[in-house]
Amino acid sequence: LGMAAPAALQRSVVSPAGRHTASLIFLHGSGDTGQGARAWIKQILNQDMAFQHIKVIYPTAPARPYTPMKGAFSNVWFDRYKICNDCPEHIESIDSMCRGLTDLINDEVKNGIAKSRILIGGFSMGGGMAMHLAFRFHQDLAGVFALSSFLNKDSAVYQALKRNESALPELFQCHGTADDLVLYSWGEETNKMLKSLGVSTSLHTFPNLNHELNRTEIEKLKSWIVKKLPVEAPKAN
């Protein structure tokens, strides 16, 4: 029996103020929703993270049993055996969600947005999901960002990059040194590993920041987004 087509992911969208020429996909952390992530960022900035030409999409992960919560249902992009960086990845659930998120990318491509004009990233588990999606399956995206995120030590991402020859999307990473859920050292190790495998990376460190977002970080992220997805000059007819 073939895999049933995954249902389209629910999403909250911030439309561009002007002509739509690029798209940004922001993946929430475990247990959150697209609407929740959007509201959180809006609260920090006192306004939506919005752009003249970039559509911002906040999808919601489908609810599934989540092992770290003793099998309770949660909106998570994938399952984990536990929250640590030296245990195996739950690769079946990661790969299944990569298919659902590929549909989301393809929707933007159907709207006329080139993959080189699409950025993907997220907070915590959302950033981990984005790294799998971009570095394993969509190496032609404009870039990836990971906020308070990590990859497991023997991640399938590292295995894929060891065999890789093509150009890779740039990674923008942020992490608080006081994070007691996803340790700063896990984020740092992820950054070093990806850099050693040919990814152009940056890691922005936030002293005293726990497992959360802050305004400075989102402003830095916004600047990077506009650098990766600049306004396109209108084409002459």
Side-chain angles (χ1 to χ4, degrees):
L1 247 148
M3 282 286 299
L9 297 167
Q10 289 186 310
R11 54 198 89 166
S12 179
V13 175
V14 182
S15 298
R19 194 167 71 92
H20 175 208
T21 65
S23 296
L24 168 72
I25 299 169
F26 189 103
L27 305 179
H28 62 74
S30 59
D32 202 354
T33 61
Q35 196 64 49
R38 175 182 175 176
W40 189 20
I41 289 174
K42 190 172 183 172
Q43 182 198 336
I44 294 169
L45 294 177
N46 295 317
Q47 58 184 8
D48 265 317
M49 180 166 71
F51 302 90
Q52 189 60 32
H53 60 296
I54 306 168
K55 173 179 170 184
V56 185
I57 305 164
Y58 295 94
T60 295
R64 60 160 299 133
Y66 188 46
T67 303
M69 285 170 49
K70 301 186 168 55
F73 270 68
S74 186
N75 293 92
V76 288
W77 297 109
F78 49 86
D79 199 6
R80 295 189 196 279
Y81 297 106
K82 50 178 189 284
I83 299 172
C84 65
N85 74 335
D86 55 2
C87 54
E89 289 174 323
H90 195 287
I91 199 70
E92 300 81 358
S93 60
I94 293 173
D95 287 358
S96 143
M97 189 49 63
C98 282
R99 290 194 287 273
L101 287 165
T102 293
D103 291 343
L104 188 60
I105 292 171
N106 289 342
D107 284 348
E108 292 311 293
V109 173
K110 282 177 199 137
N111 287 332
I113 306 301
K115 281 177 77 181
S116 60
R117 297 281 293 167
I118 299 173
L119 275 179
I120 186 156
F123 175 71
S124 192
M125 172 185 266
M129 186 73 232
M131 290 187 279
H132 274 272
L133 192 65
F135 294 127
R136 293 175 57 212
F137 300 106
H138 298 281
Q139 297 178 343
D140 46 356
L141 290 171
V144 194
F145 60 92
L147 315 173
S148 313
S149 306
F150 75 103
L151 291 171
N152 295 29
K153 282 186 193 293
D154 64 344
S155 176
V157 173
Y158 303 148
Q159 310 312 320
L161 293 181
K162 281 177 181 144
R163 301 186 296 271
N164 177 65
E165 297 299 314
S166 59
L168 295 163
E170 183 186 323
L171 173 69
F172 176 94
Q173 228 181 317
C174 295
H175 215 115
T177 58
D179 195 328
D180 55 12
L181 183 68
V182 174
L183 303 186
Y184 176 77
S185 60
W186 300 357
E188 190 178 38
E189 189 179 306
T190 299
N191 194 278
K192 284 199 177 102
M193 271 300 291
L194 289 170
K195 185 169 271 170
S196 75
L197 291 165
V199 178
S200 159
T201 67
S202 56
L203 174 58
H204 304 268
T205 301
F206 293 84
N208 310 321
L209 185 69
N210 201 315
H211 195 64
E212 57 195 341
L213 296 171
N214 72 12
R215 187 171 182 132
T216 315
E217 178 182 14
I218 296 172
E219 295 292 0
K220 264 198 163 92
L221 173 64
K222 280 187 74 172
S223 307
W224 180 78
I225 289 166
V226 174
K227 193 182 92 196
K228 298 308 290 180
L229 300 175
V231 176
E232 285 186 327
K235 293 179 181 65
N237 291 338

